[in-house]
Amino acid sequence: MDNVLHLPSSSQTFNVGAVMERAHHGGGWLLSGIIGVNILTLGCALVSGSAFNSVAITAVHRQIFLIILLLLTMLWMLFYAVVTSKKDQAVLFKDGHAGPVWLRGGLLLFGFLSLLMDIFKIATYVGYLHCDSAVKVAFPVVQAVFLIVQTYFLWFHAKDCVQRHTNFTRCGLTLLLSTNLVVWMAAVTEESIHQTEIPDLDVNVSHKMYRGISALVSSYGSVKCKCSHSACDTFKDAFYYLYPFNIEYSLFASAMAYVMWKNIGRLVGDHRRQSVKFYPKDVRVGPVMGLLLAVAGLVTFVVYEVDILTEDEKNRNRALLIHFIMNIVIVSLMCLSTVIGCILFRLDHREHVSEKNPTRSLDVGLLVGASMGQIIISYFAIVAAVATGARGYLNALNLSWAVLTVLQLGLQNYFIVEGLHREPFHVMQEAALHTNAHAVREHPEMSVVPERQKSKYSMTSSPETLSWKRRVLKEVCVFLLLANIILWIMPAFGARPQFDHPIEIKFYKFTMWSAIVNIGLPFGIFYRMHSVASLFEVYLIS
Amino acid sequence: MDNVLHLPSSSQTFNVGAVMERAHHGGGWLLSGIIGVNILTLGCALVSGSAFNSVAITAVHRQIFLIILLLLTMLWMLFYAVVTSKKDQAVLFKDGHAGPVWLRGGLLLFGFLSLLMDIFKIATYVGYLHCDSAVKVAFPVVQAVFLIVQTYFLWFHAKDCVQRHTNFTRCGLTLLLSTNLVVWMAAVTEESIHQTEIPDLDVNVSHKMYRGISALVSSYGSVKCKCSHSACDTFKDAFYYLYPFNIEYSLFASAMAYVMWKNIGRLVGDHRRQSVKFYPKDVRVGPVMGLLLAVAGLVTFVVYEVDILTEDEKNRNRALLIHFIMNIVIVSLMCLSTVIGCILFRLDHREHVSEKNPTRSLDVGLLVGASMGQIIISYFAIVAAVATGARGYLNALNLSWAVLTVLQLGLQNYFIVEGLHREPFHVMQEAALHTNAHAVREHPEMSVVPERQKSKYSMTSSPETLSWKRRVLKEVCVFLLLANIILWIMPAFGARPQFDHPIEIKFYKFTMWSAIVNIGLPFGIFYRMHSVASLFEVYLIS
């Protein structure tokens, strides 16, 4: 923004140009949508085809399609980077809300783990080169390069509000978005098929067999084609463990590409984030309770991961029991504190933010949308448990966990959305007098209402000591934040009670249930990370 | 609006109240969303559960759930109707764009056919009362009442912009929306299962067997329970033929409920539709060509429907051949004329409508979203045809049809969206001088541009004779409109080449393919009807 203010003449002409271009952007918007839809549907058909009919469409066909997509997307990203580095007028506006640090950090972390996955894949398939297609090596190589280019691109350009070449950029971004979604679909399908390939999974199947099956299956699928080096099976095990991170990476990249696409042509005002100071000493109970819960969660998580791999049925049941109880405790406490937070929102009469904020709406949309993943898993679990009568303590605990999770997600969504739409407290104080005088001037008949409001604010929010309401609200935020972190860690690092507890597998059959979990859970993990960031923001403006 | 203007004092206080309520509507919006999501997910889990595990969750469980939903929704609709009839202040604003006549007409038509389906269902299941659950009779009874109440409700209230009790209305409308979507899901699943139940569907299975199988299957499923009256099988056949109309009805009702939900709290200006006159004599070639095409389409459709039911393989192939060729001709001509239309849009330099119009955006969103159904079917057909090599003339024709359909849908979406976003011609003429003077006063430096524009308009659009551009544009609109009608009639009244030509069934297996077609095709049918309405609008403003 500063450059604009210093160059009045050029910025003037530029702004007129931007507005003119905005008026004619309809075509590009539509064209980019059509391109995106076509790539997505074609990708969906190819992936389904290769899943349902492995004779006519093999993994090789799908990978050739993906390689073409990845190369095209990389070309566009390089072109974009070159163009924007040359003409500094191309990106004058940056959206401060887009690409927040948690999203970029997550992208980097998951990008690194996906890169590791690709390296393991290359190492594995090099061993099969003498008897299998070279495309199986080429695909992870291209994907690895793509990961580096895309992470670089999104890290530096996620905040851009493009003003020049809008039509071309729009099409490029839908290409980026749909490529990531096709990669996501392919990864989800591959992961589901990999899990389903377990020969004749029975209810009585030893649990360790399911977890340790990958080595068996991977050699199983290529009986005729032997790996030429000895580390093959280890690599194969390793890269299948890293699949969920790649799925997560694609989701992150898609979210960022979508936000960039929405920001094209936006003229953002100078919405610098007000430097809200963070006083950790304001809150005590929330962090202490939250940390205790997180540590307890971590301990039970480790116990669970160790015990669930044992052969002993009793040990495994105990592990499940501890995991279920721990989760129920966490979720119940979260529900309780969220209810307290919601009541406090009702009690304090802060105004809702009236100003339109597209990034905020988008953010809320992504949050609520991502929560659907966990909600769907929970409802399917509830139906399965209720329909089979929920006999036995494990089934009863599983049912209560699912019910409480749905409740918790609904309450937390409500809490976060309400919290984000309130005026920050400190702004209120400064603004109160101003708007008040303003209101009196314009609507003399309404002067009573703001007067009363003002007196309330000035009474409750003296800068030195926080009012009890704000204090409790902050405690609630910190507690929920820490609880969300532990609920993120558990599924992100491998806890899969959905497969360790057999009731849903029996009820829905393995294919269906693994599809639900593999689609829903990555969204659930994304939701938890997103919640942490949003709760931190709610904490700051409370 | 008139009442408002005549009652200044009451409307004044009312408006302030409305604005105040709008400021605090965040909660209701969110709560209604949470309710909708929960009903939908629970419904989805129940429907999937009953589809994948018919032992623990039977159709009876699902129907009990649906009965509860239907009763709750009816209660709310009655409550709403009573409240709005009493307080005339509750609905002061009506959105003229919402609930257009084609949508309400379609609702009435499909509602009537759904009612017929329910009557046949009742007649059938009454015959099983002595040995089957009474819920199977109760459900169609409740649904029949629901159909009447809902059609009445949507017919009279689709245009409402509710201002009072907004939170409660919001929740009620999401209840309505999610009930319709759950009914839709249940119907789609039932229809798919019904088609899949054909025992050991082989490629060599006689075609007539597939079409005539319903009688066989319906008696098959209830071997132990014999119907007590003789007309049972006839009724069962009949109601399965009416299923697609019920699916379509639910989609229509969902679309209308969604628009109503979006319109809550909107303060609409007096956007009366300008009385654009409709001169049918302006156009000649378009209607003639379109009518010829429609008649030819109808004839081949009848031939197809007769021939496809014969035992003779040769006759069936000939029917498919004629159907494919006819469709390819229609779609190619549509592509050609749409391209001409798009070029004309490039040539004439009418302004894009800059004013925000939520209903218009919603309308366009529904149109483009509905086209996804047909696009998905086409892409799956393309992948199947390409992967199997498209050997034989029928496969080659099927492939070309699918490719051309995707092209046609993309072009038509572009054409309609561009057309709807242009200023009407007659408005331009009047407005040109005014905005021009205005612009000169405010931005003296920009006076050159509007001047040039103005001269162009006044040159090209004399009121007496239409310019050739406008004339051709109108011809294109009429032609596309008639072509869309014939493309609507064929699938709506029973043409299912997707099942009559076995390549996709072989490729994707029957379950998968019938799910794709049963989900995609109703959206495709909805899309064609919607296109007809939108093209008529484009015709008027061209």
Side-chain angles (χ1 to χ4, degrees), chain A residues 82-114:
Chain A
V82 170
V83 165
T84 49
S85 70
K86 269 186 191 164
K87 292 195 212 168
D88 53 359
Q89 277 211 341
V91 183
L92 275 176
F93 300 96
K94 293 240 174 198
D95 179 0
H97 294 279
V101 72
W102 67 271
L103 203 53
R104 290 193 288 164
L107 191 81
L108 207 63
L109 172 70
F110 293 129
F112 175 73
L113 291 169
S114 304

Side-chain angles (χ1 to χ4, degrees), chain B residues 295-315:
Chain B
V295 171
L298 266 182
V299 171
T300 58
F301 171 60
V302 172
V303 171
Y304 172 76
E305 281 293 288
V306 172
D307 273 8
I308 205 72
L309 287 176
T310 57
E311 276 291 345
D312 189 9
E313 173 89 24
K314 229 171 108 187
N315 265 357

